[in-house]
Amino acid sequence: MRAPVGDPHGWLARRNPTVKLALLFGCSVVTLFLLDPVTLAALYALGAAAVLATTDLGVRRLLAAQVPFVAFGAGLVLVNAFSRPGTLLAPGLPLRVTVEGVTVGVALALRTLVIGVLSTGFVVSTTPQRLLTSLVQQARLSARAAYAVLAGYRLLHLLPQHWQTIRDAHAVRAPLDRRGRPALGPRVFVRSAFTLLVVSIRAGERIALALESRGLGTGPRTTWRPVALDRQDAWCVLAVVAAVALVLAVGVLA
């Protein structure tokens, strides 16, 4: 079956979302026990290469997605370099920078980048619908909880559109300033925010009423577009486990 229009493409997009979520969680836990910058750098390079090879995400988009993680990692390096006790890196500097602080800070930053690149691969290759459907099928998550989360996600996705509509409506009714532009001051902003809150509450009530009227969670339900769990998912697990184990073994031996 061909993927619906707008769905992500690539080998990773066809894998089971529950399996990918479990692998992401497992790799994140492994990084918590690592403080070797070389091993973490190798894991990051391997993860970035895997994401580029198995998704339709280009190099530019991957680099753009890493900007928040890089900024957070830079903060970790600076905080640890200036605050952690140890051997001075350069006694002549006006600020106290320690070797241990830089080492730990770089390791924590690389840990952040590893989790960030793997999370990016998971997000760009997984749609919310497939994720929640897979969690209901394979992880035995309650249908009531899963589809309530999906409805909330859809509501959040529509908030920017509602906000723009409300702002446009206020701009039409607002008086014009000397330059002929709508005078939208702080009061109009507060009114727009309150209107968005009311619209969101009413939309949530309508969604809850629709879900309740359809008997969500009251008994067995059929699944539209079920998510399969096949042999390729097993190969994905084996490949990730083998790659991480190989990197860790090389790091220990080195």
Side-chain angles (χ1 to χ4, degrees):
M1 184 193 306
R2 295 183 59 184
V5 177
D7 282 2
H9 301 280
W11 184 84
L12 192 61
R14 296 190 295 271
R15 303 285 64 81
N16 188 278
T18 300
V19 173
K20 292 187 291 186
L21 184 62
L23 289 174
L24 174 61
F25 178 77
C27 293
S28 301
V29 171
V30 169
T31 60
L32 296 179
F33 299 94
L34 296 176
L35 278 177
D36 179 23
V38 177
T39 303
L40 289 169
L43 286 176
Y44 175 73
L46 188 62
V51 170
L52 291 175
T54 58
T55 66
D56 57 354
L57 189 68
V59 177
R60 290 186 178 180
R61 292 176 59 194
L62 179 61
L63 292 177
Q66 296 301 289
V67 170
F69 302 103
V70 172
F72 184 77
L76 291 175
V77 174
L78 293 177
V79 169
N80 283 273
F82 294 145
S83 63
R84 188 173 292 272
T87 305
L88 293 179
L89 181 63
L93 292 178
L95 296 176
R96 183 176 177 275
V97 180
T98 62
V99 177
E100 291 80 1
V102 173
T103 303
V104 174
V106 170
L108 294 177
L110 288 171
R111 181 188 299 175
T112 302
L113 291 178
V114 171
I115 298 175
V117 73
L118 296 180
S119 301
T120 301
F122 175 78
V123 170
V124 300
S125 65
T126 308
T127 61
Q129 294 81 0
R130 279 179 54 85
L131 174 60
L132 292 175
T133 301
S134 175
L135 290 176
V136 172
Q137 288 185 255
Q138 281 83 37
R140 299 296 186 266
L141 183 67
S142 170
R144 183 186 294 271
Y147 292 107
V149 171
L150 182 60
Y153 172 83
R154 179 58 179 168
L155 182 60
L156 289 176
H157 185 72
L158 294 176
L159 283 183
Q161 180 181 350
H162 293 329
W163 173 257
Q164 188 61 44
T165 302
I166 294 170
R167 294 291 288 175
D168 292 341
H170 279 286
V172 170
R173 297 192 298 266
L176 302 179
D177 57 13
R178 296 179 179 179
R179 294 176 295 181
R181 298 178 181 179
L184 301 176
R187 290 185 178 181
V188 178
F189 182 85
V190 173
R191 290 176 183 175
S192 300
F194 181 75
T195 304
L196 180 64
L197 176 62
V198 174
V199 170
S200 301
I201 293 176
R202 290 179 178 176
E205 291 177 351
R206 290 195 297 268
I207 292 175
L209 181 61
L211 294 177
E212 192 69 26
S213 65
R214 292 178 178 272
L216 181 63
T218 58
R221 302 182 62 86
T222 57
T223 301
W224 183 57
R225 288 180 180 170
V227 179
L229 184 64
D230 54 21
R231 191 174 299 177
Q232 293 292 327
D233 296 307
W235 283 113
C236 179
V237 173
L238 291 177
V240 172
V241 172
V244 173
L246 180 62
V247 171
L248 294 178
V250 173
V252 171
L253 294 177

